[in-house]
Amino acid sequence: MPHSSADGLTHRLVPSPAGRIHLVEQGSGPLVLLVHGFPEGWYSWRHQLPALAAAGHRAVAIDVRGYGRSSRPDPVDAYRMLELVADNVAVLEALGERSAVIVGHDWGATIAATSALLRPDVFRAAGLLGVPYSPPGGPKPSDVFAAMGGTEEFYVSYFQQPGRAEAEIEPDVRGWLAGIYAALSADTMPDPGAPDPHFVGPGGRLRDRFPAERLPHWLEEHELDVFAGEFERTGLSGALNRYRNMDRDWADLAGHHGAPLTQPSLFVGGARDASVTWLADAIEAFPDTLPGLVASHLLDDCGHWVQQERPEQVNRILTDWLAGLAG
């Protein structure tokens, strides 16, 4: 049964191919589906839900399968992109909706883009935060990541072996989350020239390069408690399994190699986010890959956690874009 909280949010569990998807909604009007990234949850949209509701939208933030109160299937391949797209479609059906604007951050941006690519009949526009659209295709992902970093190991490669990253994170979930949030935030990230927190040195751990004892400005202790409490309960395998399916996604989406995303779209990135630097070519290719692009924003002095680091600015960008779609 749905239940509402004092802050105006309604929590629901709805059926999906995963089993059940937990979602949180606020407001009424055209549906905007919000999809989080790693390592987050629906709560990463806490600033957007009331703003979108106030602007006349039915704002719905999900826990992606493997996270929070959503189901966590055991097989690693249950977290391939095709399954996540199917979950998003099932959420709309369960809510009695036929179409939605989909907005995602980090992995959620890729999930949102792929949902819109595969189901343009359902997802009429796509907003991408933090990670720009890159059409399916190119070299096999595992080969690309293995070639990065020289003697150091790129974090995506580090995440591939089931249990390995879990052994680093799960003994101190709260401390690890605080570290990765700080490492990728504009105000707390390591200085230029310091060892890169996206890479692991020989015999090391990711957290060895995270800032210690500093929370970024956007994260209060009680907010960190919410994120940590969920992962302490669920473990990290469901979340990490997303990374373990990148080669499967590459094969699954072979029929869409090079495909542009033609619906109206939006991109918002942090100017100090490494994703924007690594994927600069993807941003330059937007005229070809995102022919429906309405606006692209790089926020000065902003890191990876775009909608949490700059909530008011992102809310304004989102509501303006959505108003334009309606117009």
Side-chain angles (χ1 to χ4, degrees):
M1 289 289 292
H3 72 273
S4 298
S5 52
D7 52 11
L9 302 175
T10 299
H11 292 252
R12 301 177 189 270
L13 289 168
V14 301
S16 85
R20 297 194 297 176
I21 292 293
H22 170 245
L23 62 86
V24 180
E25 69 172 308
Q26 187 169 2
S28 60
L31 179 62
V32 181
L33 186 66
L34 304 169
V35 187
H36 66 81
F38 176 89
E40 301 174 276
W42 78 265
Y43 190 68
S44 65
W45 300 104
R46 62 196 176 280
H47 304 298
Q48 283 67 52
L49 288 164
L52 294 176
H57 301 280
R58 184 182 191 184
V60 173
I62 64 169
D63 279 331
V64 174
R65 70 164 67 190
Y67 286 81
R69 285 181 251 172
S70 291
S71 293
R72 298 187 303 281
D74 285 334
V76 172
D77 67 0
Y79 297 84
R80 64 208 309 155
M81 189 63 71
L82 295 181
E83 298 280 1
L84 305 182
V85 172
D87 286 342
N88 290 340
V89 173
V91 166
L92 264 68
E93 292 173 351
L95 294 175
E97 300 277 3
R98 293 187 175 184
S99 71
V101 174
I102 187 166
V103 178
H105 170 253
D106 181 75
W107 262 123
T110 306
I111 296 167
T114 311
S115 297
L117 180 67
L118 299 184
R119 294 301 304 268
D121 56 318
V122 175
F123 299 105
R124 60 189 179 89
L128 313 178
L129 276 57
V131 176
Y133 178 61
S134 294
K140 194 174 185 179
S142 58
D143 293 339
V144 174
F145 299 131
M148 297 175 66
T151 60
E152 298 183 338
E153 188 177 18
F154 191 49
Y155 76 98
V156 178
S157 298
Y158 180 73
F159 286 168
Q160 292 304 306
Q161 180 184 338
R164 184 182 177 198
E166 288 92 328
E168 171 183 337
I169 302 168
E170 290 178 355
D172 177 22
V173 168
R174 193 177 191 277
W176 196 89
L177 291 176
I180 195 169
Y181 295 153
L184 306 186
S185 296
D187 61 327
T188 46
M189 62 176 54
D191 293 331
D196 189 333
H198 296 90
F199 291 85
V200 179
R205 307 171 301 169
L206 270 175
R207 70 180 301 158
D208 294 340
R209 299 179 176 183
F210 293 167
E213 310 302 328
R214 281 189 72 195
L215 287 186
H217 76 278
W218 56 267
L219 186 66
E220 301 288 342
E221 295 281 355
H222 70 91
E223 294 172 319
L224 176 59
D225 287 340
V226 174
F227 288 118
E230 292 292 80
F231 286 114
E232 285 167 350
R233 183 172 54 78
T234 65
L236 270 292
S237 290
L240 290 163
N241 282 342
R242 172 81 291 273
Y243 292 92
R244 296 164 183 160
N245 280 280
M246 296 179 76
D247 283 350
R248 291 187 184 92
D249 298 338
W250 179 78
D252 287 342
L253 299 173
H256 299 272
H257 282 191
L261 189 62
T262 58
Q263 293 98 312
S265 58
L266 169 75
F267 176 69
V268 185
R272 298 189 63 193
D273 185 354
S275 298
V276 168
T277 304
W278 294 331
L279 298 172
D281 289 348
I283 294 174
E284 290 179 10
F286 279 171
D288 297 318
T289 61
L290 290 178
L293 184 68
V294 174
S296 179
H297 302 265
L298 278 183
L299 308 186
D300 290 338
D301 203 33
C302 180
H304 181 65
W305 317 104
V306 187
Q307 78 271 31
Q308 298 181 87
E309 290 189 54
R310 293 290 185 80
E312 293 179 1
Q313 192 172 4
V314 169
N315 290 349
R316 187 167 59 251
I317 290 169
L318 285 175
T319 53
D320 287 349
W321 175 63
L322 290 165
L325 297 179

